[in-house]
Amino acid sequence: MTQVQKFVENPKFAQVKLEEYLSGEDFNTPTLKESAQKPLSQREPIKHLLIGSPKAVTSTIHFLQVIGYASVGDWSQLLPTANPGEVMSILSRQILVS
């Protein structure tokens, strides 16, 4: 089973992985010596871009809210693209990176 299938079939799995991603946690606790060598984690901006039919984009935005990643109101309004029947929506986030 791929990780994508796990996300779709098990929302709890998706929630845990999402929390790890957003928090920058690495559940392998480093020793004091290792942590002294690691650079401090920093927040960096990241942008998510959804492109597709209005129905597909809206459905994905709602799914991401259900799994706790982002509220519907965090996304930009649906913006038309150069392709007929296609829209896009953008979400900007700050994530921890090390």
Side-chain angles (χ1 to χ4, degrees), residues 18-73:
L18 206 48
E19 288 169 2
E20 288 176 23
Y21 171 72
L22 292 175
S23 69
E25 290 184 41
D26 175 8
F27 291 100
N28 299 318
T29 307
T31 64
L32 184 56
K33 183 178 178 183
E34 290 172 333
S35 62
Q37 295 173 351
K38 282 188 171 181
L40 295 176
S41 295
Q42 297 178 3
R43 290 197 167 271
E44 289 190 18
I46 187 166
K47 293 179 183 171
H48 301 282
L49 178 62
L50 296 176
I51 300 175
S53 71
K55 184 176 181 177
V57 171
T58 302
S59 175
T60 302
I61 289 171
H62 284 96
F63 174 74
L64 292 171
Q65 178 170 307
V66 168
I67 65 169
Y69 185 70
S71 297
V72 170

